[in-house]
């Protein structure tokens, strides 16, 4: 590691993940320092989503270790053995990790503001009044104060994704995971979501972003990681690696997406 | 190459102003449909004949039927029918949700228990189950709370006191209904996008919170229509309880005709009340379904938005 920063926000060591007979992640090592934005790129099926889902323990892992803010995900270390954490502790570990999905997954039976209030009320036991106040603030921040009482079905894709980001932020996360947040959007709606993410990065939020938006990676990313076949084949400063990619497969991949 | 604007094409828009569109009304003649006319005539004739034979038939005793429609005993039976229907549907729904959740759990023991339950109660006739519950005292003479597998008991009840026709009927109907509701609830839960569960889990919700706050409310749209059908069907199924003298509508009608021998008249009285109940339930079902069809969410939003100007008035 270069900087004098102590522990990174996310530390991944020798991560392996199998689905049945297929090994999807074949030994991933990755550090995400506090306040940095790491962009993960790679061809379809290379394991990018799986990598993110392992970080917040939506998937179990087959070997390796993942720490988030110094907390070993999914296990307690007692003596020289690992013990699987009970479900309540998994929920507690997930709480400070926000996740934004490609297809938004807003709760369709709740309005925009109710979506944002859901986490604090149900999980953090915040009072309704306080949750509403925070939610109004967050919707303001993503530019949707005037859409608070709309249901997801009444919002455009870009607006839905911004509500989804606000919903995650309502849990006061220390880490945000984005899984292709703009891939399901019409081209003219992509920028409004990227703008919100750019603002978020500027506040010092630590982010892992799976994306095909190389412009965003170049501009906002502190680190770019190219995953192919379940391993990281190229990594570095986005501006440098995009300007002169060393790996052949990365170069071929860039030829397709740029 | 130069692109010419559409309006500037030579000779196109040079005449007078645009003419108004020509009206072309359709006033077509229907082809003759003699088959339909004849069919309708036959059907009407048949209905008229049926009504005539029913009305003039002296064996039907319309005066008796009318006088017994509001009879106290009949109304009492009607009330028991309603109670049995509502209670067994409510208990059945709870059992169904429980069984469905167990069926979808990771634990093979839960899944197996749930599968055993639905397999057994859907695989045996309700009539047999009702008689069984009524006679459960023959198998288990007493019930108690205490140490299982033959240990000492803290409290104990005699089956004969506990099992009245009503409780036996309720047990039979509710437990049987639960087995069917389990399938309906399971289909409802399955219909919810798995992404919903993931989004809720990513917020740090527990399994139970995910189910209660996110999955079940959305599953309701799929669960409600068939549940309405089950309710309507249950109104009629309660008549089976007459085999254990459940004191509901059919039992009461039977008791009366054993005394006055007006068998057909009493059956018609009961049928009229069954039709009234199922009709009311069908109308209710229609309205509830309409509400849930119309994009449940969007409707609520529209109502609230329309009300807002009035709500915000005092400012
Ligand atoms: N739950 C699962 N069960 C079985 N296989 C899975 C599962 N989830 C993912 N996979 C497989 O793992 C591989 C990696 O999937 P993943 O979703 O991580 O890829 P990705 O890089 O995110 O691709 P994309 O760009 O298409 O989203 C794929 O081959 C996929 O079929
Ligand atoms: Mg993916």
């Amino acid at each position: 590691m270069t900087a004098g920063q102590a522990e990174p926000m996310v530390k991944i060591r020798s991560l392996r993940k199998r689905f049945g007979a297929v090994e999807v992640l074949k030994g991933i090592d990755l550090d995400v320092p506090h306040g940095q934005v790491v962009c993960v790129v790679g061809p379809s099926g290379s394991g990018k989503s799986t990598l993110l889902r392992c970080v917040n323990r939506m998937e179990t892992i087959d070997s390796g270790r993942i720490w988030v803010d110094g907390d070993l995900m999914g296990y307690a270390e007692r003596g020289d053995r690992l013990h699987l954490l009970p479900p309540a502790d998994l929920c507690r570990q997930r709480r400070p990790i926000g996740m934004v999905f490609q297809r938004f997954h807003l709760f369709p039976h709740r309005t925009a503001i109710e979506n944002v209030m859901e986490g604090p009320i149900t999980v953090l036991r915040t009072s309704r009044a306080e949750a509403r106040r925070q939610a109004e603030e967050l919707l303001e921040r993503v530019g949707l104060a005037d859409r608070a009482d709309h249901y997801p079905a009444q919002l455009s894709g870009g607006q839905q994704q911004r509500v989804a980001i606000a919903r995650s932020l309502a849990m006061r996360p220390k880490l945000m995971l984005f899984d292709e947040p703009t891939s399901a959007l019409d081209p003219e709606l992509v920028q409004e979501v990227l703008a919100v993410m750019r603002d978020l990065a500027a506040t010092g939020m630590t982010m892992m972003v799976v994306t095909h938006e190389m412009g965003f990676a170049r501009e906002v990313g502190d680190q770019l990681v190219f995953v192919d076949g379940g391993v990281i084949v190229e990594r570095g400063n986005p501006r440098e690696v995009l300007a002169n990619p060393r790996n052949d497969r990365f170069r071929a991949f860039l030829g397709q997406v740029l | 190459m130069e692109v010419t604007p559409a309006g500037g094409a030579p000779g196109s828009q040079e005449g007078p102003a645009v003419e108004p569109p020509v009206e072309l009304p359709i006033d077509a003649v229907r082809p003759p449909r003699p088959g339909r006319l004849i069919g309708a005539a036959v059907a009407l004739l048949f209905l008229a004949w049926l009504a005539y034979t029913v009305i003039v038939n002296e064996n039907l005793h319309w005066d008796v039927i009318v006088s017994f429609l509001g009879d106290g005993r009949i109304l009492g039976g009607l009330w028991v029918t309603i109670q049995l229907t509502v209670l067994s549907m409510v208990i059945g729904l709870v059992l169904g949700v429980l069984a469905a959740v167990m069926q979808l759990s990771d634990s093979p023991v839960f899944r197996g228990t749930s599968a055993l339950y639905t397999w057994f109660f859907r695989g045996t006739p309700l009539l047999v189950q009702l008689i069984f519950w009524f006679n459960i005292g023959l198998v288990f003479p007493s019930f108690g709370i205490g140490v299982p597998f033959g240990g000492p008991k803290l409290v104990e009840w005699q089956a004969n006191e506990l099992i009245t026709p009503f409780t036996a009927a309720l047990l039979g109907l509710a437990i049987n209904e639960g087995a069917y509701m389990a399938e309906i609830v399971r289909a409802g839960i399955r219909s919810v996008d798995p992404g919903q569960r993931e989004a809720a889990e990513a917020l740090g919700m527990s399994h139970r919170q995910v189910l209660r706050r996110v999955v079940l409310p959305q599953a309701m749209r799929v669960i409600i229509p068939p549940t309405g059908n089950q309710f309507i069907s249950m109104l009629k199924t309660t008549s089976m309880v007459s085999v254990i003298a459940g004191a509901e509508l059919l039992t009461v009608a039977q008791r009366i005709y054993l005394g006055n021998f007006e068998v057909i008249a009493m059956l018609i009285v009961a049928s009229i009340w069954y039709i009234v109940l199922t009709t009311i339930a069908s109308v209710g079902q229609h309205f509830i379904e309409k509400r849930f069809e119309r994009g449940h969410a969007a409707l609520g939003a529209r109502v609230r938005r329309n009300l807002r100007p009035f709500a915000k008035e005092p400012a």
Side-chain angles (χ1 to χ4, degrees), chain A residues 53 56 58 91 94-95 97 99 101 105-110 114 118-119 122-123 125 149 151 154 167 171, chain B residues 193 195-196 198-206 209 213-214 217-218 296-298 300-301 304-305 308:
Chain A
R53 293 162 57 82
N56 71 349
M58 302 275 276
C91 293
R94 269 190 207 126
R95 249 179 254 166
I97 306 176
M99 190 166 208
F101 304 86
H105 299 322
L106 288 181
F107 306 131
H109 57 304
R110 303 197 188 285
E114 285 168 352
E118 185 60 38
T122 310
V123 180
R125 305 268 168 222
D149 294 321
Y151 282 88
Q154 301 167 316
R167 175 176 68 177
M171 297 298 292
Chain B
D193 176 4
Q196 290 291 310
E198 293 193 352
E201 279 173 3
L203 289 176
M205 286 195 203
S206 68
Q209 288 170 332
R213 301 283 304 179
V214 176
Q218 292 181 61
H296 56 312
R304 249 180 274 174
R305 213 167 337 122
R308 189 163 314 127

Side-chain angles (χ1 to χ4, degrees), chain A residues 43-50 52-53 102 179-180 210 212:
Chain A
S44 180
S46 56
K48 308 180 297 290
S49 300
T50 308
L52 282 198
R53 293 162 57 82
Q102 183 174 350
D179 191 359
E180 303 199 34
V210 175
H212 293 299

Side-chain angles (χ1 to χ4, degrees), chain B residues 53-63 262:
Chain B
T53 50
V54 168
I55 290 165
V56 303
N57 194 324
E58 277 158 17
N59 298 327
L60 280 177
H61 304 175
W62 281 104
D63 49 332
E262 294 279 0

Side-chain angles (χ1 to χ4, degrees), chain B residues 119-301:
Chain B
W119 170 74
F120 183 80
F121 285 97
R122 282 161 33 122
T124 54
L126 175 58
L127 202 52
V128 174
Q129 291 171 29
L130 284 170
I131 300 171
F132 172 81
W133 287 115
F134 189 53
N135 293 296
I136 189 124
L138 299 177
V139 194
F140 305 105
S142 64
F143 298 88
I145 299 171
V147 182
F149 303 112
K153 299 262 185 294
L154 290 174
V155 215
E156 199 163 15
W157 295 280
Q158 293 306 307
N160 289 338
E161 299 162 17
L162 219 56
I163 299 295
T164 63
F166 187 84
T167 51
L170 196 57
L171 270 173
L173 292 173
I175 293 175
N176 187 260
E177 185 59 29
Y180 286 90
M181 286 307 302
E183 285 302 304
I184 293 174
V185 174
R186 192 164 69 121
I189 291 177
R190 280 262 167 99
S191 75
V192 178
D193 176 4
Q196 290 291 310
R197 191 180 280 268
E198 293 193 352
E201 279 173 3
L203 289 176
M205 286 195 203
S206 68
H207 276 307
R208 191 180 305 181
Q209 288 170 332
V210 173
L211 197 68
R212 215 192 51 217
R213 301 283 304 179
V214 176
V215 174
L216 281 182
Q218 292 181 61
M220 284 323 271
R221 278 167 70 212
V222 172
I223 292 173
I224 280 177
T227 304
N229 292 341
Q230 291 294 109
F231 185 89
I232 290 168
S233 150
M234 178 63 84
L235 280 168
K236 294 170 293 175
T237 306
T238 52
S239 65
M240 276 204 206
V241 165
S242 62
V243 294
I244 56 170
E248 38 55 69
L249 194 48
L250 184 59
T251 307
V252 171
Q254 285 174 333
R255 267 190 211 143
I256 297 175
Y257 71 60
L258 287 177
N260 66 5
F261 306 110
E262 294 279 0
V263 179
I264 300 298
M266 288 309 115
L267 289 181
I268 290 179
V269 168
S271 300
I272 288 174
W273 276 119
Y274 280 122
I275 285 199
V276 168
L277 289 181
T278 51
T279 306
I280 294 172
S282 302
V283 171
Q285 181 192 28
H286 176 78
F287 279 108
I288 292 174
E289 275 180 28
K290 263 274 143 58
R291 255 199 70 178
F292 274 80
E293 250 165 44
R294 248 187 261 163
H296 56 312
L299 176 70

Side-chain angles (χ1 to χ4, degrees), chain A residues 152-179:
Chain A
Q154 301 167 316
L155 298 173
S156 75
Q159 292 170 336
Q160 288 186 56
Q161 193 62 296
R162 280 143 66 197
V163 174
I165 294 173
R167 175 176 68 177
S168 289
L169 292 179
M171 297 298 292
R172 309 222 165 272
K174 50 191 180 193
L175 167 69
M176 286 286 289
L177 308 174
F178 293 85
D179 191 359

